[in-house]
Amino acid sequence: MKHILSLLIFTFIIQSLSAQIGGENVYTFTTLPHTARVAALGGNLITVKDDDVALAYHNPAVLNPSMHHNLTFNHAFYLADINHGYFGYGNHIDKINTTFHGSVQYAAYGDFNLTDPTGTVNGTFSANEYAVTIGAGRQYNERLSFGAKLKFLNSQFEAYQSVGIAGDAAVFYSDTAKRFTATLLFKNMGSQITTFQPDNFESLPFDMQIGISKRLKYLPLRFSVIVHNLHRWNIRYNDPNIDEPILIFGEEPEPKEQSYFFDNLARHFIFNGEFLLGAKQNFRMRVGYNHLRRGELTVPNTVSFAGFNFGVGLKINRFRIDYGRSVYHLAGGANQLTISTNLMEFK
């Protein structure tokens, strides 16, 4: 364990790549929050193991027997009339003590005008992306579980198409006596199989994450802290359109190295909390904060809720209905709706 922690700290400190992380990778739709619950909690949740099979999309190590025959469907009303969604199903096999997960994720970007170099419209074209996922998870001992999954990826933009494959691997630790959980996750390890342009291979949005969760003893609250992009230190985006302040005599102020350091550090963190109300936790309230999203999308000198997220969940009879709201920018946010059930309850 000491060697693993040393490797994490070493990797976190020495890696210094480009500060702008957007637009560098293909298949970035796989990083979108795929359910309303995840969206409400800041866009990521890798530290919770319960009967929600959708959590296995981000962390296959949380697959467990309570997800057997669990079915979930999500649709997100994203910005600029973009729609994306998710469909997932879980199945447990007692003979090998392993839980499996299958899912389909899609993103539809709508129709676009097809123009020539002079601007003449010659028709329309569409843009879509899909991911088909197969994963498995297994309990190793009382506290440790492991999981892995494969994602078969496809992007279609007009006549340009790319096919790829990616894999995730994770280990999950749980101490039920202390109500504490932790996760180490390696996400989107893979490559393109076919490229948009011949011999032009582009990187996938690889991410290395750790997270912890703690459920309070005397309050129905579980809070989580997730650290992402551990493999790269500098994830700030230096916007060239932001004017630097100039002092009264025309001198430019010295860079605030300390404030830059703490801002960059905070961008690696996602904080969230989930209130579990009722004897069977049938009503849940959620809130999350994503500092990277706020740092990249907030408007300077303007008050906004960019980076904040909230949502609720309610179980009615055999169905659980979740709503999540993600605030991206002053221009708007995204609403997500998830409906899930367990087919065993219909027998």
Side-chain angles (χ1 to χ4, degrees):
M1 188 67 180
K2 292 182 179 179
H3 297 293
I4 296 176
L5 291 175
S6 299
L7 177 61
L8 289 176
I9 295 172
F10 178 75
T11 305
F12 186 73
I13 292 176
I14 67 170
Q15 291 294 334
S16 179
L17 302 178
S18 173
Q20 183 178 358
I21 65 174
E24 295 182 347
N25 309 116
V26 291
Y27 313 130
T28 55
F29 75 101
T30 59
T31 64
L32 293 172
H34 63 294
T35 69
R37 183 183 186 186
V38 173
L41 293 171
N44 201 340
L45 184 64
I46 61 173
T47 54
V48 174
K49 177 188 284 190
D50 55 22
D51 61 350
D52 185 359
V53 71
L55 297 181
Y57 179 80
H58 280 303
N59 182 8
V62 302
L63 283 163
N64 66 88
S66 68
M67 297 178 179
H68 185 55
H69 288 322
N70 189 280
L71 186 68
T72 183
F73 174 77
N74 173 82
H75 187 78
F77 303 91
Y78 206 56
L79 304 171
D81 294 329
I82 297 173
N83 295 279
H84 68 89
Y86 169 86
F87 171 84
Y89 179 74
N91 187 70
H92 180 76
I93 300 179
D94 289 326
K95 291 183 179 180
I96 56 177
N97 191 28
T98 302
T99 306
F100 293 90
H101 164 251
S103 69
V104 176
Q105 186 183 16
Y106 64 88
Y109 303 106
D111 294 326
F112 301 84
N113 288 330
L114 180 65
T115 62
D116 59 22
T118 65
T120 303
V121 178
N122 297 319
T124 61
F125 68 92
S126 61
N128 305 280
E129 294 185 285
Y130 304 91
V132 178
T133 300
I134 301 174
R138 183 173 183 176
Q139 193 76 27
Y140 176 71
N141 57 31
E142 183 180 352
R143 296 189 175 184
L144 289 177
S145 60
F146 299 90
K149 72 174 187 288
L150 283 176
K151 288 179 281 191
F152 303 93
L153 309 165
N154 180 75
S155 294
Q156 178 76 50
F157 305 124
E158 206 257 332
Y160 302 94
Q161 184 175 10
S162 174
V163 176
I165 187 170
D168 299 352
V171 56
F172 180 85
Y173 171 85
S174 176
D175 187 338
T176 55
K178 296 182 179 179
R179 303 186 178 193
F180 173 83
T181 60
T183 289
L184 171 63
L185 170 67
F186 298 88
K187 187 176 181 180
N188 285 327
M189 301 176 290
S191 173
Q192 287 180 291
I193 299 175
T194 62
T195 59
F196 294 109
Q197 297 287 347
D199 299 322
N200 181 31
F201 285 88
E202 300 173 77
S203 61
L204 273 65
F206 171 76
D207 198 0
M208 181 178 175
Q209 303 176 358
I210 59 173
I212 60 172
S213 281
K214 172 72 173 178
R215 184 172 177 182
L216 302 184
K217 186 176 181 179
Y218 299 106
L219 188 67
L221 170 65
R222 177 175 53 224
F223 66 88
S224 303
V225 180
I226 298 166
V227 188
H228 56 90
N229 282 288
L230 283 168
H231 62 292
R232 59 193 305 170
W233 163 244
N234 190 3
I235 57 174
R236 279 179 54 89
Y237 170 53
N238 300 317
D239 192 344
N241 295 319
I242 298 179
D243 296 329
E244 294 291 342
I246 299 177
L247 300 181
I248 190 170
F249 296 107
E251 306 107 334
E252 294 184 0
E254 295 182 2
K256 298 179 180 179
E257 297 292 343
Q258 188 175 12
S259 63
Y260 286 173
F261 171 85
F262 285 108
D263 178 61
N264 185 65
L265 177 64
R267 294 188 185 210
H268 288 271
F269 286 81
I270 296 174
F271 304 92
N272 61 57
E274 186 173 30
F275 286 92
L276 311 170
L277 305 175
K280 297 183 179 181
Q281 304 176 10
N282 286 339
F283 181 65
R284 302 178 181 183
M285 296 188 300
R286 306 171 180 121
V287 62
Y289 176 70
N290 188 323
H291 190 70
L292 175 64
R293 185 183 298 167
R294 180 172 180 81
E296 290 186 337
L297 298 177
T298 192
V299 178
N301 303 318
T302 304
V303 178
S304 73
F305 288 96
F308 288 91
N309 313 265
F310 60 88
V312 295
L314 179 64
K315 185 172 183 181
I316 303 175
N317 198 1
R318 299 182 179 92
F319 297 92
R320 183 175 294 279
I321 302 173
D322 295 294
Y323 166 78
R325 169 75 176 176
S326 302
V327 183
Y328 286 91
H329 191 270
L330 283 174
N335 299 303
Q336 292 190 219
L337 184 65
T338 303
I339 300 176
S340 58
T341 187
N342 193 303
L343 300 181
M344 297 293 291
E345 295 188 21
F346 291 89
K347 292 186 178 180

